[in-house]
Amino acid sequence: MNLWILAGVRTPFLRAGTRFEPLGAADLGRLAISALLARTGIDPGAIDEVILGCVGQPADAANVARVAALRAGIPANVPAATVQRNCASGLESITSAYERMAAGKGELFLVGGMESMSRYPLLYNDSAAKHFGLLAKARSPFQKLAALTKFRAKDFSPQIGLKLGLTDPYTGMIMGETAELLAREYGINRAEQDVFAADSHRKALAATEARAREVAPAHVGGEAVLNDNGPREDSTPEKLTKLKPIFEPKWGGVTAGNSSQISDGAVALLVGSEAAAARLGLTPLGRLTHYAYSGCDPARMGIGPVLASAKAMRDGAPSPAEADVVELNEAFAAQVLAVLKAFRDPAAARLAGLDHPLGEIAPEKLNRRGGSIALGHPVGATGSRLVLTALDQLHETGGKRALVTLCVGGGQGAALWFERP
């Protein structure tokens, strides 16, 4: 039984704090779903379930997939679920749909992901929460004054939710520190990282017209947002080398310029059985053939794609070298370079935990339209974006197979294989 990708669209991916800042995750999800329904013209009542990924789910939109679906006009009788596997949440939505279909729980699903990293909250400490609680319970002016006198200066120093979300609670390492660890262990120097990052921007700029096929305009405040705003013409190796390392200031190589951008965006995909595609009169973009999720050391979470790809191969998937298109998420340049080295080099493969390399990925197959360093990484949506990008490239190039893989905060990897019909 195959899960077919029938259609897909995404919003532009925008740097956090720019044009999408007023929109929450549910708003971004609504935009993507509405665009998908408009492009396909399908009856939303034909959908069996909506499954969307979101990492930083908003407190004011519990089960944010349901909120986004209803706001986009999905009928109330169509259920919706939000899934969360950190950076792989957008992929989790796809494989969850496959598992439901295989279990006989539906034939047509709307999947994808959304993330508003601009709207991640500030969090107050326990002391502040206690004092705000006392203030809320106070009734008389005297009680309120007494409650106010208990506040201290430290109560007004909130923690940054985004920083907490990017910090592994098991190791205490922020994600950039895990990239620095891989850079040391796999011998990735600063110059290599900056060259890779600049190349991501170069490829993204060169593929602006091709990427437009993925994107639906989004209207914000009466104005249309048409394109991703992450790619930069001035991101050259010479410019990037001037940036200071963030996580290891004295000797590190990971900078804001060779890391993925913090972004807002959403993706919607229509997936289902071959019979559902025939009923709707849709020509599928491709089919899911294999997938695997793997665990790894959280301190080395960036190496997850190697282990997930190896696990998929044990289940019958091709080797990474056999892919015609590879979308390997660019969490950090150092992380991608370590993964590529582990794919091809025996010593690096052993360091990653494998007996032998899986096969070298040709540079011309990798992230041909740029990656998250240039385009941004709205974490709940990125996995679905990689799939949409990979399938469009297969049709553009006439290729047959695509590998979509990424690392996952907390120490996991994901690898999904797709074929063009």
Side-chain angles (χ1 to χ4, degrees):
M1 179 179 291
N2 291 309
L3 182 77
W4 292 87
I5 313 302
L6 308 179
V9 69
R10 66 177 176 90
T11 69
F13 280 11
L14 304 185
R15 294 189 299 272
T18 60
R19 294 289 297 282
F20 279 166
E21 184 177 25
L23 305 182
D27 301 313
L28 295 170
R30 174 186 59 80
L31 290 174
I33 295 170
S34 297
L36 182 68
L37 295 177
R39 283 197 177 187
T40 60
I42 68 163
D43 173 9
I47 297 168
D48 290 305
E49 188 170 4
V50 174
I51 309 170
L52 299 175
C54 185
V55 177
Q57 296 185 43
D60 62 350
N63 189 8
V64 65
R66 175 65 168 171
V67 178
L70 291 173
R71 289 180 179 174
I74 302 293
N77 67 302
V78 176
T82 307
V83 294
Q84 211 274 40
R85 196 193 284 261
N86 282 350
C87 305
S89 297
L91 297 180
E92 182 72 20
S93 72
I94 297 169
T95 57
S96 294
Y98 168 76
E99 289 162 0
R100 283 165 167 72
M101 187 183 72
K105 301 297 184 182
E107 282 195 297
L108 186 67
F109 302 87
L110 196 155
V111 304
M114 56 211 158
E115 204 73 40
S116 174
M117 302 185 82
S118 293
R119 301 293 291 272
Y120 276 26
L122 298 176
L123 302 175
Y124 285 91
N125 58 37
D126 291 342
S127 172
K130 178 181 178 181
H131 295 149
F132 276 118
L134 291 173
L135 181 61
K137 293 177 183 178
R139 293 293 176 263
S140 69
F142 178 78
Q143 290 173 329
K144 291 178 181 180
L145 180 61
L148 285 170
T149 61
K150 295 185 180 296
F151 281 95
R152 298 293 181 266
K154 66 179 181 179
D155 293 336
F156 301 100
S157 299
Q159 295 176 299
I160 300 171
L162 179 60
K163 183 178 180 180
L164 290 176
L166 296 176
T167 301
D168 178 61
Y170 182 77
T171 63
M173 298 172 71
I174 197 165
M175 294 298 101
E177 292 174 332
T178 71
E180 290 283 16
L181 179 58
L182 290 184
R184 294 196 300 273
E185 293 184 340
Y186 287 83
I188 310 298
N189 63 41
R190 167 71 185 273
E192 291 175 288
Q193 295 175 54
D194 287 342
V195 167
F196 183 90
D199 204 38
S200 181
H201 285 272
R202 179 191 61 79
K203 290 189 288 187
L205 290 167
T208 299
E209 186 174 339
R211 284 202 328 278
R213 293 195 294 268
E214 307 171 15
V215 177
H219 294 271
V220 183
E223 296 183 16
V225 182
L226 304 177
N227 303 308
D228 306 317
N229 70 1
R232 298 173 60 104
E233 293 184 1
D234 62 349
S235 284
T236 63
E238 295 74 24
K239 288 285 185 69
L240 292 174
T241 195
K242 297 177 182 179
L243 299 177
K244 294 182 179 180
I246 302 173
F247 307 102
E248 297 289 352
K250 292 184 178 180
W251 45 262
V254 179
T255 70
N258 57 40
S259 305
S260 57
Q261 296 184 36
I262 295 169
S263 307
D264 305 326
V267 183
L269 305 172
L270 188 68
V271 304
S273 66
E274 191 169 6
R279 283 199 308 271
L280 296 170
L282 297 173
T283 301
L285 304 177
R287 66 188 179 102
L288 175 69
T289 60
H290 302 86
Y291 70 92
Y293 297 100
S294 67
C296 63
D297 178 3
R300 296 166 176 81
M301 67 93 195
I303 212 66
V306 178
L307 302 179
S309 296
K311 187 175 180 180
M313 286 180 66
R314 292 194 293 272
D315 291 338
S319 75
E322 295 177 271
D324 298 304
V325 168
V326 177
E327 283 293 322
L328 169 55
N329 189 45
E330 298 172 358
F332 302 92
Q335 165 262 325
V336 176
L337 292 168
V339 167
L340 295 175
K341 194 169 185 177
F343 275 144
R344 70 175 183 268
D345 178 76
R350 287 193 294 272
L351 183 59
L354 303 181
D355 295 330
H356 54 81
L358 303 181
E360 184 171 3
I361 295 174
E364 65 270 16
K365 297 179 180 180
L366 177 69
N367 299 356
R368 295 172 64 248
R369 296 181 182 174
S372 291
I373 289 173
L375 301 176
H377 184 18
V379 283
T382 292
S384 300
R385 197 276 299 170
L386 297 175
V387 173
L388 182 61
T389 301
L391 291 174
D392 192 65
Q393 287 176 79
L394 286 184
H395 285 266
E396 180 182 58
T397 62
K400 182 182 179 183
R401 298 188 187 96
L403 169 62
V404 172
T405 184
L406 46 66
C407 61
V408 184
Q412 297 187 72
L416 278 65
W417 280 90
F418 297 87
E419 283 189 357
R420 185 171 62 90

